[in-house]
Amino acid sequence: AARLSGGENRLVSLPLSRIRVIMKSSPEVSSINQDALFLTAKATELFVQYLATYSYKHGRGKEKNALTYSDLSHTAEECETFQFLADILPKKILASKYLKMLEKEKRDGAVGQDDEEDEEEEDEDETVDEAVGS
């Protein structure tokens, strides 16, 4: 392996300065060794390459000869290895569908709250009846 000097940029595609900034954003990191920086960059590059290749092979990308966002989000949702990315790569939905989902949640939530309020009122009535009966 080449020593990290001016030649390290040719060995990785990702900008080391950006990776350094991301690593330093962690409160546990005080200083970053050049070797650790290079290895993190290379590992990240290989991970992204693996994710893209896996998504391409298992998605619809082969049909279109292209990798799409939906291929990536499907991989994050379906493949156990990549499920930690599901929040970062959510499935895209139309705004109209999202608004309908919100309306439905509102209606369901309002019904659920009414039920809870009814139960609370019944509990209060029982408590009052017990107090009067004493």
Side-chain angles (χ1 to χ4, degrees):
R3 253 346 245 168
L4 300 178
S5 58
E8 83 254 3
N9 289 333
R10 286 178 272 160
L11 298 175
V12 291
S13 299
L14 300 172
L16 296 178
S17 60
R18 294 285 177 117
I19 293 172
R20 179 180 285 113
V21 168
I22 293 169
M23 290 174 74
K24 283 198 171 202
S25 70
S26 174
E28 294 93 30
V29 176
S30 57
S31 64
I32 300 167
N33 182 336
Q34 282 297 104
D35 291 336
L37 178 64
F38 173 77
L39 290 174
T40 302
K42 195 63 179 174
T44 303
E45 189 176 303
L46 292 172
F47 172 76
V48 170
Q49 183 179 10
Y50 178 67
L51 171 64
T53 303
Y54 187 93
S55 298
Y56 179 80
K57 286 180 180 176
H58 294 90
R60 296 185 193 142
K62 285 192 288 189
E63 299 166 7
K64 301 174 189 173
N65 201 21
L67 178 64
T68 63
Y69 179 87
S70 62
D71 293 335
L72 293 169
S73 66
H74 181 73
T75 297
E77 189 177 297
E78 300 298 323
C79 180
E80 188 176 331
T81 305
F82 298 111
Q83 281 185 347
F84 72 98
L85 296 173
D87 293 337
I88 298 168
L89 295 168
K91 286 197 179 260
K92 286 186 178 180
I93 60 171
L94 296 174
S96 58
K97 279 187 177 181
Y98 180 71
L99 292 173
K100 286 178 185 176
M101 286 171 47
L102 285 177
E103 284 297 319
K104 184 178 179 194
E105 283 181 13
K106 236 183 207 180
R107 279 182 279 142
D108 292 348
V111 170
Q113 288 176 353
D114 290 343
D115 293 344
E116 289 174 11
E117 288 173 6
D118 291 344
E119 289 174 11
E120 288 174 6
E121 289 174 8
E122 289 174 10
D123 291 342
E124 288 174 7
D125 291 343
E126 289 174 9
T127 306
V128 171
D129 289 342
E130 290 173 5
V132 171
S134 305

